[in-house]
Amino acid sequence: MITATDIFTISNQKQFEKIALKTFRFQYENNLVYKEFCDLLQTNVSKVKSIAQIPFLPIQFFKSHEVVSNTNAIQQTFTSSGTTGMITSKHLVTDTSLYEESYQKGFSQFYGNIEDYVVLALLPSYLEKEGSSLIYMVQDLIQSSNHEESGFYLHNHDELIKNLTALDAAGQNVILIGVTYALLDVIEKHQFQLQNTIIMETGGMKGKRKEMIREELHQQLCAGFGVSAIHSEYGMTELLSQAYSLGQGVFECPTWMLILVRDTEDALTYIPHGKTGGINVIDLANLNSCSFIATQDLGKKITNNSFEILGRFDNSDIRGCNLMVL
């Protein structure tokens, strides 16, 4: 039996590999979709002795199948954002406490105590966008911050500008998290010189503005907000954990999450650090769905603990937090 304590107290690679292999065996035995996928690959479970031998489920299965590893009642269904007519992913969560512990501990690992921050969100509120895992997380972070100014400001830029300016000038630590186009909208209305604020972007501009490469985008945001770096969050509907970038587009994972980079021509082969390939994610918080996900993102590992996202596979669906507001 794997517990939340097993997952969230991992402190080294050996521990991670041990829990990952236990999770693989548990999900092979209890997740019908994953078992059938492994069997199609003719996986001999008894011979899987390392992470590199574990099959990764293509992320598209979350669109066409119910990916669950137990028979418990579904407590929450997270759905991906999409345009009209698009088939969206569904992540059936049988234990929301695993998600809550994952993002709370993940945030703490990178940023410290949430109560030290006012959280301002350029995102739809929970009532506007039910089913978004990002909104679920940000709503909880807003409440946990215990600051009356924390809240959702997507439709109230003037109040956001007023509050952000006053809070930062007063020396209050602030996190402003938002979809990219909304952050750009704000700096077109007002130029800042912030000293105590972290700017965190969560996605691109699909349908709202022309796309920009990360360097150009971050340069504009740094100039507009008067900060030295733009932070980013890497997460998705199909995962219950997030990686964070504290600048330069370099992400790091919490200790229960790991990125592997697969060859784009051979999905069962991994490539060295510094080479571009498909992103595979191990998210041990996905205990009750599937922890081994082959995404449609392209990226490269820099070190064993850090990586960059460089784009998407051709013809992959437009998806992500940025579509929540279309």
Side-chain angles (χ1 to χ4, degrees):
M1 183 68 182
I2 305 156
T3 66
T5 301
D6 293 329
I7 294 165
F8 298 121
T9 58
I10 290 171
S11 61
N12 56 57
Q13 182 63 26
K14 187 176 179 181
Q15 270 186 316
F16 182 93
E17 184 139 347
K18 178 182 176 184
I19 300 300
L21 288 168
K22 282 183 70 174
T23 301
F24 162 66
R25 288 188 284 271
F26 166 76
Q27 291 179 344
Y28 177 81
E29 291 168 6
N30 293 279
N31 184 324
L32 180 61
V33 172
Y34 187 53
K35 182 181 189 305
E36 289 182 356
F37 175 72
C38 291
D39 288 347
L40 281 170
L41 293 178
Q42 298 182 327
T43 306
N44 186 334
V45 175
S46 65
K47 291 187 175 179
V48 174
K49 303 295 185 184
S50 72
I51 284 171
Q53 296 171 306
I54 294 174
F56 281 72
L57 187 73
I59 201 165
Q60 296 92 326
F61 276 78
F62 282 84
K63 293 182 177 181
S64 54
H65 295 75
E66 294 189 351
V67 184
V68 289
S69 292
N70 59 39
T71 56
N72 297 344
I74 306 301
Q75 294 183 359
Q76 184 80 33
T77 300
F78 291 128
T79 54
S80 63
S81 302
T83 55
T84 303
M86 182 186 292
I87 300 172
T88 56
S89 290
K90 288 184 169 56
H91 191 169
L92 307 178
V93 180
T94 61
D95 184 358
T96 54
S97 71
L98 271 175
Y99 182 42
E100 291 162 4
E101 189 165 1
S102 177
Y103 65 66
Q104 288 164 1
K105 281 188 160 62
F107 180 91
S108 177
Q109 184 174 322
F110 289 96
Y111 295 103
N113 190 341
I114 184 61
E115 293 185 6
D116 293 338
Y117 297 91
V118 170
V119 180
L120 309 178
L122 278 168
L123 298 164
S125 72
Y126 190 71
L127 293 176
E128 293 176 275
K129 188 61 186 176
E130 191 175 356
S132 162
S133 57
L134 175 69
I135 300 302
Y136 187 103
M137 175 181 79
V138 173
Q139 171 81 13
D140 190 25
L141 293 177
I142 285 170
Q143 291 177 340
S144 299
S145 72
N146 289 326
H147 287 278
E148 62 178 280
E149 298 92 346
S150 292
F152 293 95
Y153 289 84
L154 182 68
H155 306 300
N156 198 342
H157 290 180
D158 290 338
E159 187 179 2
L160 171 77
I161 291 166
K162 176 185 155 193
N163 286 352
L164 177 55
T165 303
L167 288 163
D168 188 86
Q172 171 64 54
N173 292 326
V174 178
I175 289 184
L176 172 59
I177 180 169
V179 286
T180 308
Y181 86 82
L183 293 170
L184 289 167
D185 287 348
V186 166
I187 60 173
E188 284 186 357
K189 291 188 76 169
H190 185 86
Q191 294 283 297
F192 299 84
Q193 283 298 321
L194 300 173
Q195 302 293 320
N196 302 291
T197 300
I198 291 168
I199 308 298
M200 184 183 295
E201 53 104 356
T202 66
M205 268 94 62
K206 306 293 191 295
K208 291 287 185 177
R209 289 172 173 258
K210 73 177 181 68
E211 290 294 330
M212 284 188 246
I213 62 169
R214 177 183 54 78
E215 290 81 2
E216 179 189 3
L217 168 65
H218 283 200
Q219 187 177 35
Q220 283 195 26
L221 292 175
C222 282
F225 286 107
V227 296
S228 59
I230 301 300
H231 294 220
S232 304
E233 178 258 2
Y234 179 73
M236 58 190 73
T237 299
E238 301 86 355
L239 302 177
L240 296 185
S241 300
Q242 301 78 32
Y244 290 100
S245 166
L246 308 189
Q248 310 305 316
V250 177
F251 290 90
E252 293 191 23
C253 297
T255 55
W256 54 90
M257 182 181 179
L258 183 69
I259 300 295
L260 302 172
V261 181
R262 67 183 186 271
D263 191 320
T264 55
E265 303 297 325
D266 178 4
L268 302 181
T269 300
Y270 294 105
I271 59 177
H273 293 179
K275 301 286 188 182
T276 299
I279 295 289
N280 283 3
V281 181
I282 301 177
D283 181 5
L284 297 180
N286 272 22
L287 178 64
N288 297 315
S289 53
C290 182
S291 291
F292 310 97
I293 306 296
T295 78
Q296 286 292 92
D297 292 327
L298 289 168
K300 63 182 179 183
K301 290 195 78 164
I302 300 168
T303 68
N304 200 43
N305 298 315
S306 62
F307 65 99
E308 285 184 86
I309 297 296
L310 301 172
R312 310 264 302 150
F313 278 83
D314 289 342
N315 302 319
S316 59
D317 289 340
I318 298 170
R319 59 198 288 277
C321 329
N322 42 21
L323 283 170
M324 291 188 300
V325 287
L326 290 182

